[in-house]
Amino acid sequence: MTEMTRELIQKCLAEQATGAWSDDSELSAVASQLSRSSRAGSGQVAVASRGLPSRTAIIEMVESIRSVLFPEFFGFPAGSDRVLFQVGMALDHGMRLLREQLNIVLGYHQDQELATRALKEQCVRDISRGFMRNLCRVQSLLETDAQAALSGDPAATSAAEIALCYPGLFAMTNYRLAHELHRLGVPVISRIITEHAHSITGIDIHPGAQIGESFFIDHGTGVVIGETSIIGNRVRLYHGVTLGAKTFQKGEDGALVKGAPRHPIVEDDVVIYAGATVLGRITIGRGSVIGGNVWLTHSVPPGSVVTQGKPLEQHRASDGKI
Amino acid sequence: MTEMTRELIQKCLAEQATGAWSDDSELSAVASQLSRSSRAGSGQVAVASRGLPSRTAIIEMVESIRSVLFPEFFGFPAGSDRVLFQVGMALDHGMRLLREQLNIVLGYHQDQELATRALKEQCVRDISRGFMRNLCRVQSLLETDAQAALSGDPAATSAAEIALCYPGLFAMTNYRLAHELHRLGVPVISRIITEHAHSITGIDIHPGAQIGESFFIDHGTGVVIGETSIIGNRVRLYHGVTLGAKTFQKGEDGALVKGAPRHPIVEDDVVIYAGATVLGRITIGRGSVIGGNVWLTHSVPPGSVVTQGKPLEQHRASDGKI
Amino acid sequence: MTEMTRELIQKCLAEQATGAWSDDSELSAVASQLSRSSRAGSGQVAVASRGLPSRTAIIEMVESIRSVLFPEFFGFPAGSDRVLFQVGMALDHGMRLLREQLNIVLGYHQDQELATRALKEQCVRDISRGFMRNLCRVQSLLETDAQAALSGDPAATSAAEIALCYPGLFAMTNYRLAHELHRLGVPVISRIITEHAHSITGIDIHPGAQIGESFFIDHGTGVVIGETSIIGNRVRLYHGVTLGAKTFQKGEDGALVKGAPRHPIVEDDVVIYAGATVLGRITIGRGSVIGGNVWLTHSVPPGSVVTQGKPLEQHRASDGKI
């Protein structure tokens, strides 16, 4: 493909040099180069010919589910009986959208078990049913997260403020929904759900991460929680905290080993301050406090306090340069 | 509530084990669980039955006001007389939206003084009037902020570029408007305004913070300025700078004390570089320079230069691991 | 202007004290103050009277071009002949939008060479033609970036996942398109394109930066790459990495010198971990590894490994304070 593309670029530049084209023939020439070169793209034709999930539909699905998880905060008349019907309608809408997208991605990740239409339909039904059945558990987990924000942030004034304003709760809702789909083996869709939250909040949580209850991310921008991270209960992270990988295993072919455990384990009741970078399959012992902007690549025992070395302080030069 | 939810989860899982449900009965069963459990939510029914503000309407209000603060940059024919009518129309639209939302949140934060409809209407009128009357002051403050960007960033080429492209000015516009509402005692709405800017720009400024004139945030992503921060004039922050709290006061009941002074005081002419984390009710003396990625939790005198300790440098191992 | 504004504020406050206005007269009074004061704004009238580019139109243009660069991932039936017509239509639409916006900004940056209508039209045609002719090169560069993500991130499972989910590729697409316009001397539009990606992804790349092939930004939130940065091939950055300026040259008039080289040079095969702040016209030698949260303001030779000094570790006090 790169071969072909180089060739096209040569042609492109040559014609540019001669400046021969008219605007119309030029347009169609470039269009054909773009479509040809990408048609030749690495296995992408195969992918596309089987269809791709719709980000728009998936986001609409998530918003429907979000509204049934927090009905009071999405215009439903809580306390009345009508809320039941409205929740039912929103849930039904969300589940329809999910089934449509499952049909696409399962087709696209087709393999033996899905060889026949019947088997695929069975699979879509089982996944969507399993997902729906876990929504009440997701709801109660999110209530512990909202409570952790209310009791953990002096600036939080009400449950309404948290539900309407707090990016951490928005991101955790997307993550907890995506994690359920991830556990059910659904590809791509779960990642689109968490990346949508990443775009809105700056909080990047991989659907594969395991996170306990009463989890609070304050402010959140720049938080990264990697695929194989394991986080206990009552953990609090501030913005810019990274739970990442340090080195990657390579197989004999030199390609990266996918899915190997490579992110931190954070035990119960740990607090990690803004901008701390914690890398590798290490363990932060229960109840530890990690200070801001620390670079930590080794395990620390329970009850540890880790802070950055003392900064250098001097008096400002007249020109204010540092 | 958690009690009840646990119970529901048991039921949920039990039925999952038997796999008894048909799709329809299943949907309505889950819907009723979700609406019931959330109807039982901690005081949330009460909240909801009084109504919640509309994020959409609040954002539309802010965009109307933004357009009258910078008419030249929002399609109004500056220099002509028509600009006056267009500014008037946009201002009128924004103020109508604000009054509607005030009616909702003041209802929702109902207390003695607002017991009667008449008193509430008076309150809505006074707040919106006070807000509108301060818009010209907000406009001139924002002009000092735009000027600080133009003279503080070598990459800035024109006032138009700053008004159209710079996230710092976008976030400061939302903050300065939200701060006016905050000063007038308006709940929730002010926070929705700053969190909208947070989502768009990655800059998280609490409406309660106090910020002087000619304030410039460059790049901005990951900046956090806490509720009780006090910032002087001509201060410059880069992206990822945190002015946060370190420890929280707890009352006798063990609950956090809300609103206590806990964020830094930054005096005039201070520069704080990218990723510095400054925590606690400390003072950064006038004219100081704080280097990037510093973790600072104590006051520094005027004219200080604070930088991170020297990094370790070694030669790269053959496998490139660090 | 500040003079005039102060005067207006006095008037504003005085009237506030008397509380004389009725709501209507008040509205029009504030409207006239806002439009008057901003009409007097520093050189902004001049700008506005010549028109400003439309952010909405520019974003629509970029999305059209994005769809022709990755047709398989934007609903085109790759592998069929129809893709050619669809790519052609999308390309034509994008180019029309670009020409419209060029007409606006070139008018607005009017100078001698553009004095006559004919010359301006010639200029618009040459720029848009030059831009279109380079799209196939941009496409092949982006394919190297996508490949770098696939081979550099153990969590990446497919080309589709990267095209649909990865913020780094989204930001690089906007940057590479904006860079082409920047090279052709187009003002403002190129910055609007990169700032749009900044808002969506938290990745802030100036259109003027020079970036080689196979460039991978993982996670991305908080990355800043300044105007005069130069980045080699096969470089990998994590989120929160800054390639910024440390001090700014001032001219004799005390104003900042625009465009002077002030950002780092990063040679081939360098990896920079999360949150590292690298400032000034320094060189990171080929194959170096820079650890997370490092503050680096001097050059390092090829093959260097730079990490933050060892953190302080102690046992947690009973009150958990740090």
Side-chain angles (χ1 to χ4, degrees):
Chain A
M1 133 104 264
T2 26
E3 263 327 301
M4 184 194 225
T5 318
R6 272 203 211 77
E7 190 188 303
L8 294 171
I9 297 163
Q10 302 312 332
K11 179 159 169 291
C12 185
L13 296 176
E15 274 154 337
Q16 186 162 358
T18 66
W21 296 344
S22 83
D23 278 7
D24 276 7
S25 66
E26 197 162 3
L27 183 83
S28 51
V30 172
S32 75
Q33 290 169 23
L34 289 169
S35 48
R36 246 185 297 132
S37 52
S38 81
R39 281 238 295 286
S42 47
Q44 295 172 357
V45 184
V47 170
S49 59
R50 300 211 213 91
L52 285 168
S54 154
R55 161 184 254 117
T56 316
I58 290 168
I59 291 172
E60 186 182 340
M61 180 269 283
V62 170
E63 294 313 319
S64 294
I65 304 293
R66 195 190 313 278
S67 73
V68 304
L69 292 172
F70 302 101
E72 299 86 345
F73 299 123
F74 292 87
F76 295 149
S80 87
D81 291 345
R82 276 163 44 228
V83 68
L84 174 58
F85 306 122
Q86 290 173 300
V87 166
M89 279 172 58
L91 180 60
D92 187 41
H93 180 62
M95 294 308 297
R96 278 182 209 281
L97 289 166
L98 176 60
R99 281 192 297 270
E100 285 166 16
Q101 296 304 309
L102 286 172
N103 265 302
I104 292 168
V105 291
L106 292 179
Y108 139 53
H109 273 252
Q110 212 152 33
D111 56 23
Q112 281 80 325
E113 303 101 84
L114 299 177
T116 74
R117 180 174 190 70
L119 272 170
K120 179 179 160 187
E121 280 165 3
Q122 178 60 46
C123 185
V124 168
R125 196 158 51 240
D126 292 350
I127 290 172
S128 55
R129 183 176 293 180
F131 176 75
M132 188 171 73
R133 280 170 170 170
N134 287 332
L135 285 178
C136 49
R137 188 161 53 77
V138 168
Q139 184 186 53
S140 59
L141 278 169
L142 289 169
E143 275 159 1
T144 69
D145 298 330
Q147 190 52 51
L150 194 52
S151 57
D153 178 9
T157 59
S158 68
E161 187 181 21
I162 287 162
L164 293 170
C165 306
Y166 275 50
L169 190 63
F170 183 97
M172 282 305 291
T173 303
N174 282 37
Y175 156 75
R176 293 205 185 272
L177 293 172
H179 184 62
E180 291 302 316
L181 292 172
H182 182 87
R183 286 174 48 216
L184 292 160
V186 177
V188 185
I189 293 177
S190 55
R191 190 72 185 271
I192 289 173
I193 292 172
T194 54
E195 279 301 333
H196 174 59
H198 184 190
S199 174
I200 299 292
T201 66
I203 299 170
D204 178 356
I205 309 178
H206 193 285
Q210 300 169 47
I211 305 181
E213 61 178 44
S214 302
F215 184 61
F216 175 36
I217 301 174
D218 203 359
H219 310 298
T221 307
V223 164
V224 171
I225 300 176
E227 180 182 18
T228 64
S229 305
I230 300 174
I231 299 177
N233 298 323
R234 299 172 304 280
V235 168
R236 188 164 86 234
L237 302 187
Y238 288 88
H239 51 289
V241 167
T242 298
L243 303 179
K246 190 172 140 202
T247 50
F248 305 144
Q249 273 179 273
K250 288 189 177 170
E252 289 173 348
D253 58 355
L256 293 175
V257 177
K258 306 279 181 183
R262 61 196 182 282
H263 300 99
I265 297 169
V266 179
E267 296 182 346
D268 297 346
D269 303 300
V270 166
V271 177
I272 309 182
Y273 281 87
T277 301
V278 183
L279 301 190
R281 188 55 152 193
I282 65 175
T283 298
I284 309 294
R286 172 174 196 134
S288 293
V289 176
I290 310 300
N293 298 358
V294 164
W295 158 257
L296 186 63
T297 58
H298 61 270
S299 295
V300 297
S304 298
V305 175
V306 181
T307 54
Q308 188 183 96
K310 218 181 156 354
L312 306 173
E313 301 186 27
Q314 57 210 81
H315 199 75
R316 182 176 183 169
S318 55
D319 63 0
K321 290 215 176 104
I322 68 173
Chain B
M1 131 105 261
T2 26
E3 261 328 300
M4 184 195 224
T5 320
R6 272 203 211 77
E7 188 189 303
L8 294 170
I9 296 161
Q10 302 312 333
K11 180 158 166 290
C12 187
L13 296 175
E15 273 154 333
Q16 185 163 0
T18 67
W21 297 345
S22 83
D23 279 9
D24 276 6
S25 66
E26 197 161 2
L27 183 84
S28 51
V30 173
S32 75
Q33 289 169 25
L34 290 168
S35 48
R36 246 186 297 133
S37 51
S38 83
R39 279 235 297 284
S42 46
Q44 297 174 354
V45 183
V47 170
S49 59
R50 302 211 213 89
L52 286 167
S54 154
R55 162 183 254 118
T56 315
I58 291 168
I59 291 171
E60 186 182 341
M61 179 271 282
V62 171
E63 294 314 319
S64 294
I65 304 294
R66 194 190 312 277
S67 73
V68 304
L69 293 172
F70 302 101
E72 298 87 346
F73 298 124
F74 292 88
F76 296 150
S80 87
D81 292 344
R82 276 160 45 225
V83 69
L84 174 58
F85 306 122
Q86 291 174 300
V87 166
M89 280 171 56
L91 180 60
D92 187 40
H93 180 62
M95 294 308 297
R96 277 180 209 282
L97 289 166
L98 176 59
R99 280 192 298 270
E100 285 168 16
Q101 296 304 308
L102 285 172
N103 266 302
I104 292 169
V105 292
L106 292 179
Y108 140 53
H109 273 252
Q110 212 151 30
D111 56 22
Q112 281 80 324
E113 302 102 84
L114 299 177
T116 74
R117 182 172 189 69
L119 273 171
K120 180 179 159 187
E121 279 166 2
Q122 178 60 44
C123 184
V124 168
R125 196 157 53 240
D126 292 350
I127 290 172
S128 55
R129 184 175 291 180
F131 176 77
M132 187 171 73
R133 280 168 168 171
N134 287 331
L135 286 178
C136 50
R137 190 162 53 77
V138 168
Q139 183 186 53
S140 60
L141 277 170
L142 288 169
E143 275 159 0
T144 69
D145 298 330
Q147 191 52 49
L150 194 52
S151 57
D153 177 10
T157 59
S158 68
E161 187 180 20
I162 287 162
L164 293 171
C165 305
Y166 275 50
L169 190 63
F170 183 97
M172 282 305 290
T173 304
N174 283 38
Y175 156 75
R176 293 204 185 273
L177 293 172
H179 183 63
E180 292 302 316
L181 292 172
H182 182 87
R183 285 174 48 214
L184 293 161
V186 178
V188 186
I189 293 177
S190 54
R191 190 72 186 272
I192 289 173
I193 293 172
T194 53
E195 279 300 333
H196 174 58
H198 184 191
S199 174
I200 298 292
T201 66
I203 298 169
D204 179 356
I205 310 178
H206 193 287
Q210 301 169 48
I211 304 181
E213 62 177 44
S214 302
F215 183 61
F216 175 37
I217 301 175
D218 201 358
H219 310 298
T221 308
V223 163
V224 170
I225 300 176
E227 180 181 18
T228 64
S229 305
I230 301 175
I231 299 176
N233 298 323
R234 300 172 304 281
V235 168
R236 188 163 88 235
L237 303 186
Y238 288 88
H239 52 290
V241 167
T242 299
L243 303 179
K246 190 172 141 202
T247 50
F248 305 144
Q249 273 179 272
K250 289 187 177 175
E252 289 173 350
D253 59 353
L256 294 175
V257 176
K258 305 280 182 183
R262 61 196 183 280
H263 300 99
I265 297 169
V266 179
E267 296 183 346
D268 296 347
D269 303 300
V270 166
V271 177
I272 308 182
Y273 281 88
T277 302
V278 183
L279 300 190
R281 188 55 151 194
I282 65 176
T283 298
I284 309 295
R286 172 172 197 136
S288 293
V289 175
I290 311 299
N293 298 358
V294 164
W295 158 256
L296 186 63
T297 59
H298 59 271
S299 294
V300 297
S304 297
V305 174
V306 181
T307 54
Q308 189 183 94
K310 219 180 150 358
L312 305 173
E313 300 186 29
Q314 57 209 84
H315 199 75
R316 182 176 183 167
S318 55
D319 63 359
K321 290 213 178 105
I322 69 173
Chain C
M1 136 101 260
T2 26
E3 263 325 304
M4 184 194 226
T5 319
R6 272 203 210 76
E7 191 187 302
L8 294 171
I9 297 163
Q10 302 311 333
K11 180 158 168 289
C12 186
L13 296 175
E15 274 154 334
Q16 185 163 359
T18 66
W21 296 344
S22 82
D23 279 7
D24 276 6
S25 66
E26 196 161 5
L27 183 83
S28 51
V30 173
S32 75
Q33 289 169 24
L34 290 168
S35 47
R36 247 185 297 131
S37 53
S38 82
R39 280 239 295 287
S42 46
Q44 296 173 355
V45 183
V47 170
S49 59
R50 300 210 213 90
L52 285 168
S54 154
R55 162 184 253 116
T56 315
I58 291 168
I59 291 171
E60 185 182 341
M61 180 269 283
V62 171
E63 293 314 318
S64 294
I65 304 294
R66 194 190 313 279
S67 72
V68 305
L69 293 172
F70 302 101
E72 298 86 344
F73 298 123
F74 292 87
F76 295 151
S80 85
D81 292 344
R82 275 160 47 225
V83 68
L84 174 58
F85 306 119
Q86 291 173 299
V87 167
M89 280 171 56
L91 180 61
D92 187 41
H93 180 62
M95 294 309 297
R96 276 180 209 284
L97 289 165
L98 176 59
R99 281 192 298 269
E100 285 167 17
Q101 296 304 309
L102 286 172
N103 266 303
I104 293 168
V105 292
L106 293 178
Y108 140 52
H109 274 248
Q110 212 152 32
D111 57 23
Q112 280 81 325
E113 302 103 83
L114 299 177
T116 73
R117 181 172 189 70
L119 272 170
K120 180 180 159 188
E121 280 166 2
Q122 178 60 46
C123 184
V124 168
R125 197 159 49 240
D126 292 351
I127 291 172
S128 56
R129 183 176 292 179
F131 176 76
M132 188 171 72
R133 281 169 167 170
N134 287 331
L135 286 178
C136 50
R137 188 161 55 75
V138 169
Q139 183 186 52
S140 60
L141 277 170
L142 288 169
E143 276 160 2
T144 69
D145 298 330
Q147 190 52 52
L150 194 52
S151 58
D153 177 10
T157 59
S158 67
E161 187 181 20
I162 287 162
L164 292 170
C165 305
Y166 274 51
L169 190 63
F170 183 97
M172 283 304 291
T173 303
N174 283 37
Y175 156 74
R176 294 204 185 274
L177 293 172
H179 184 62
E180 292 301 317
L181 292 172
H182 182 87
R183 285 174 47 215
L184 292 161
V186 178
V188 186
I189 293 178
S190 54
R191 191 71 186 271
I192 288 173
I193 293 173
T194 53
E195 278 300 334
H196 174 59
H198 184 191
S199 174
I200 298 292
T201 66
I203 298 170
D204 179 357
I205 309 178
H206 194 285
Q210 300 170 47
I211 304 181
E213 62 177 43
S214 303
F215 183 61
F216 175 37
I217 301 174
D218 202 358
H219 310 297
T221 308
V223 163
V224 171
I225 299 175
E227 180 181 18
T228 65
S229 305
I230 301 174
I231 299 177
N233 298 323
R234 299 173 304 280
V235 168
R236 189 165 85 234
L237 302 188
Y238 288 88
H239 51 289
V241 167
T242 298
L243 303 179
K246 190 173 140 202
T247 50
F248 305 145
Q249 274 179 272
K250 289 188 176 172
E252 289 171 348
D253 58 355
L256 293 175
V257 176
K258 305 280 180 184
R262 61 195 183 282
H263 300 99
I265 297 169
V266 178
E267 296 182 346
D268 296 347
D269 303 300
V270 167
V271 178
I272 308 182
Y273 281 88
T277 301
V278 183
L279 301 189
R281 189 55 153 194
I282 64 175
T283 298
I284 308 295
R286 172 174 197 134
S288 293
V289 176
I290 310 300
N293 298 356
V294 164
W295 159 256
L296 187 62
T297 58
H298 60 272
S299 295
V300 297
S304 298
V305 175
V306 181
T307 54
Q308 188 183 95
K310 215 178 156 358
L312 306 173
E313 300 186 29
Q314 58 210 84
H315 199 75
R316 180 175 183 169
S318 54
D319 63 0
K321 291 212 176 105
I322 68 175

